[in-house]
Amino acid sequence: MPVIRNLGRAASQLLQGSGCGCGVSLVPVRAIGVSPRQVASDASFHSVTFSESDHPRVLITGGLGQLGVGLAKLLRKRFGKNNVILSDIRKPADNVFYSGPFIFADILDYKNLREIVVNNRITWLFHYSALLSAVGEANVPLARAVNITGLHNVLDIAAEHNLRLFVPSTIGAFGPTSPRDPTPDLCIQRPRTIYGVSKVHAELMGEYYHYRYGLDFRCLRYPGIISADSQPGGGTTDYAVKIFHDAIKTGKFKCYLRPDTRLPMMYIDDCLKATLEIMEAPAEALTMRTYNISAMSFTPEELAQEVQKYVPELQMTYNVDQVRQAIADSWPMNFDDSNARRDWGWKHDYDLPELVTTMFSYLGSDSRVAQAN
């Protein structure tokens, strides 16, 4: 498969991440030169049974992105430092490398990924490797390889080794024909980005593997995620991170979306909490494999008004990026997450005022913010 090999080299140069999976006995056998009999034998030989009281052994792929490092920190507090392995294809910063186990893992390298799962006795996998919306549109072949081919590798390894698998989805999994205000869990999904198409594919494949092979697949549709300790990564909602950095550094911010563009958003602590909660939820409590989660919904103009309470002289201007604006206009304005709140008790902690206060408490050592306070 020379095309995939070449794309794998491109991925190694351009992006974060890698992955692995979760599984059962009836599994599809990939075209990797391994016979069905050998796969069955290997799966039986390497499987490890864990009791309810034992901590999971966790692998996080694409771990150097916006969410992976924070998730690793949360999980290590809960399950122990050495039970959570962070992985990516990029070199980690020293503070990340020395904070706990880190390995190189490329999700397009099926054999290596399988070895990682077997050698480390992985039982839970969080699959974060992906190209985001705007970046994916700039390189569709690479996004297709990473977001779809990489997912297939993860699903097959997950099914083979009986893992509990989490794959995040997104507001980008909906399109212009979906109900936008609010958007329910189940409705028409016709996204118009390769990122969105790949996430709908992940949702459906994960559900299929659950019903066909018994895979313990769990998925949350994230809104835009805002955090203080990561830089914008090419997503359409990243303006809501960049505004804080620019407000502190220069007192000026140029937004690439219209001032009235309403999108669902969430502070990273709520996102990580929800991710852990869905993974720990009893299987019998889950009525679906993919859930919406929500916390708040706002426009650039509303966010700027809240930021100006801390940086009164903030100058907000708009230079609309037609590509990202078209993406945002096809996405939900509000998420209906009533099923998550009913089934496993989801409840957010941060609304817009709390979000802005928290962001400036991390970033606001600058005299401009201090004077405002």
Side-chain angles (χ1 to χ4, degrees), residues 15 34-35 38-39 46 64 67 69 88 106 126 134 156 170 180 183 186 199-200 236 263 266 278-279 285 347 366 373:
L15 82 46
V34 179
S35 70
Q38 181 180 346
V39 169
H46 289 299
L64 298 183
L67 298 175
V69 174
D88 210 306
D106 183 351
F126 294 83
D156 285 351
T170 167
R180 297 186 67 212
T183 303
L186 300 176
K199 287 302 184 181
V200 174
T236 300
L263 293 168
M266 178 176 287
I278 186 67
M279 285 295 275
K347 183 179 180 181
D366 184 90
N373 287 338

Side-chain angles (χ1 to χ4, degrees), residues 33 64-65 77 93 96 107 109 126 133 136 148 171 217 228 251 285 323 326 329 351:
L64 298 183
K77 285 183 179 178
V96 174
I107 59 167
D109 186 340
F126 294 83
S133 55
I148 296 179
I171 56 174
F217 173 85
V323 172
D329 288 343
D351 290 321

Side-chain angles (χ1 to χ4, degrees), residues 15-136:
L15 82 46
Q16 63 185 46
S18 29
C20 152
C22 169
V24 269
S25 54
L26 291 174
V27 297
V29 179
R30 303 195 56 78
I32 56 171
V34 179
S35 70
R37 181 175 299 176
Q38 181 180 346
V39 169
S41 174
D42 287 350
S44 174
F45 179 80
H46 289 299
S47 294
V48 178
T49 301
F50 286 81
S51 71
E52 293 271 331
S53 60
D54 287 328
H55 289 319
R57 293 276 297 169
V58 178
L59 175 67
I60 303 171
T61 70
L64 298 183
Q66 183 185 24
L67 298 175
V69 174
L71 180 64
K73 184 177 180 181
L74 177 66
L75 296 178
R76 284 166 179 165
K77 285 183 179 178
R78 190 163 189 88
F79 302 131
K81 176 179 176 180
N82 292 325
N83 284 322
V84 180
I85 301 173
L86 200 60
S87 74
D88 210 306
I89 62 172
R90 293 184 289 141
K91 182 179 178 181
D94 286 349
N95 65 308
V96 174
F97 183 78
Y98 292 110
S99 64
F102 181 92
I103 59 174
F104 172 91
D106 183 351
I107 59 167
L108 297 180
D109 186 340
Y110 181 88
K111 182 176 182 293
N112 174 250
L113 202 53
R114 191 165 174 258
E115 288 176 352
I116 290 170
V117 169
V118 170
N119 290 343
N120 293 283
R121 300 182 299 134
I122 299 300
T123 58
W124 284 16
L125 173 70
F126 294 83
H127 177 53
Y128 278 113
S129 298
L131 260 66
L132 301 183
S133 55
V135 176

